[in-house]
Amino acid sequence: MPSWRKGKRIGYCLNDKKKKKLNFQGFEDLCRQRGYEVIEIDLAKPLCEQGPFDVIIHKLSDLILESSYDSQSHQLIHDFQTYVETYSSIILLDPFPAVRLLLDRFESYRLLQDFQKQDSCIFSPPYVELNSGTGREAVARIREQGLTFPLICKTRVAHGPSSHEMALIFNEEGLGEVSAPCLLQSFVNHDAVLFKVFVVGSSHFVVRRPSLKNFPRGESARRSIFFNSHSVSKPDSCSRLTELDEATLEPTPPSDNVICRAMRGLRSTLGLSLFGVDLIVEKQTGRCAVIDVNAFPGYEGVPEFFSALLNHIETLLESHEQAARARVLVAEYSLHQQASHVDKAQESTHDTNLRAPWLANSLETPKSAPAESSFFTFAVLPAVLSRH
Ligand SMILES: Nc1ncnc2c1ncn2[C@@H]1O[C@H](COP(=O)(O)OP(=O)(O)OP(=O)(O)O)[C@@H](O)[C@H]1O
Ligand SMILES: O=P(O)(O)O[C@H]1[C@H](OP(=O)(O)O)[C@@H](OP(=O)(O)O)[C@@H](O)[C@@H](O)[C@@H]1OP(=O)(O)O
Ligand SMILES: [Mg+2]
Ligand SMILES: [Mg+2]
């Protein structure tokens, strides 16, 4: 067994629904077969009584969301965060600030807009944020930004049952029915096909799902359509809203190149390992649009999820161990340098019996050490490590 696997403990914290949907027991079994200890974290007990942990997997979106208005949840999240900061070697999948960002569509869509400026391989449809106010203000904002109908209205909060309640709006009158805080996004025709990209570390998996049908572009007299997103884009969704009115060819999935580039960029922009990205292909242009990003999604239709997750964990454990070993070697090298400075100093001060003040404490680092250590880290250490 490699040393980075030996005695390692993987903690997890998922609600019953998530455990059941993922059949998480299968993952526990896989981890135990490879020699890991797996611990289900009980949030009612202090973490220090349940640790130590090398890795923690969680979907604490409910609690993170509640922590902004509920003091008990705030305390739990605060204690959890303090614990992982205290034991900084713990690998947390995923860090709370990165997860928190995805719970707020205002924040995540702003980030997607910035992302498309850096990388034009995908785009994020234009939108306006409505913090408060009436339909009249919504009309003004839409006109100001030059957005055209139809629009899709999404709640600001991106997680939880009510976050999936949406509306399709076809005219200014329909804007009177939206309730802030929400976001109004340009509707992109995409032939009713959604590509869900499920990311696990550096791997990703693409799954095809049903999606909303095409609608004529421009303002129309149609009444707004209210729907729940889970009734249109789950594997077994069966809705009139996903039935195309016209016969069309199957849309071509986004190319591997586009998906790889976009996921690589999003992974580092978001600072997440476990997330899902919803992509659609614009009918008129063939461009690929990102319309949603979810933290730790369902991975439904990805039979490789557990093995990909464990591989990702093992890659992280191995690189953590390498980094720790490198730190030890740098420290040893630094001590060795100090010792040789001592020898030299003793030789040169032998006659007078004088010693440099910093030599009084042999653990004190001489001023030249950082430069030498960094030379050691970048030039010598890789060669040393490759021999270990
Ligand atoms: N800009 C858009 N243009 C066209 N269709 C869209 C757009 N945004 C969303 N949709 C459709 O609406 C559905 C729900 O939107 P979205 O993915 O943002 O909601 P969600 O509730 O966050 O979904 P999830 O369950 O994946 O978290 C999508 O699956 C897609 O069918
Ligand atoms: O079960 P969870 O609470 O994690 O639900 C997530 C759901 O997974 P599920 O498929 O297991 O329902 C995801 O579906 P897929 O993208 O994978 O289709 C997506 O809807 C997320 O937005 C949900 O996260 P939440 O809205 O709750 O933050
Ligand atoms: Mg979605
Ligand atoms: Mg979502």
Side-chain angles (χ1 to χ4, degrees), residues 105 109 125 152 154 158 163-166 168 185-190 194 196 209-213 227-230 232-234 242 278 280 291-294:
R105 288 194 220 267
Y109 285 55
I152 181 163
K154 307 182 183 182
S163 72
H164 305 294
E165 297 297 337
M166 313 216 155
L168 283 165
Q185 186 182 49
S186 281
F187 184 83
V188 175
N189 280 335
H190 56 281
L194 176 76
K196 283 214 168 249
R209 290 272 179 93
S211 191
L212 291 175
K213 67 179 184 176
F227 68 101
N228 185 299
S229 65
H230 286 186
V232 299
S233 289
K234 288 292 176 193
T242 63
D278 292 353
I280 54 177
I291 51 156
D292 186 27
V293 184
N294 299 309

Side-chain angles (χ1 to χ4, degrees), residues 102 112 115 122 194-199 204-207 259 262-263 266-267 270 274-280 288-295 297 299:
L102 291 189
L112 291 175
F115 180 72
I122 53 170
L194 176 76
F195 298 96
K196 283 214 168 249
V197 186
F198 291 119
V199 178
H204 66 259
F205 305 88
V206 185
V207 170
I259 296 185
M263 294 312 124
L266 284 173
R267 201 178 294 123
L270 297 166
L274 304 177
F275 62 100
V277 182
D278 292 353
L279 299 178
I280 54 177
C288 182
V290 51
I291 51 156
D292 186 27
V293 184
N294 299 309
Y299 294 94

Side-chain angles (χ1 to χ4, degrees), residues 17 132 134 144 186-187 203 210 218 232 235 252 267 280 286 290 324 333 345:
K17 176 184 146 242
S132 56
T134 59
E144 198 179 280
S186 281
F187 184 83
S203 312
V232 299
T252 316
R267 201 178 294 123
I280 54 177
V290 51
Y333 176 77

Side-chain angles (χ1 to χ4, degrees), residues 237-283:
S237 291
C238 187
S239 160
R240 295 275 304 275
L241 287 174
T242 63
E243 283 170 21
L244 285 166
D245 296 328
E246 69 287 347
T248 49
L249 292 173
E250 269 286 290
T252 316
S255 73
D256 286 349
N257 187 26
V258 163
I259 296 185
C260 286
R261 223 168 92 184
M263 294 312 124
R264 203 178 312 125
L266 284 173
R267 201 178 294 123
S268 74
T269 302
L270 297 166
L272 291 166
S273 292
L274 304 177
F275 62 100
V277 182
D278 292 353
L279 299 178
I280 54 177
V281 178
E282 189 175 35
K283 185 176 173 63

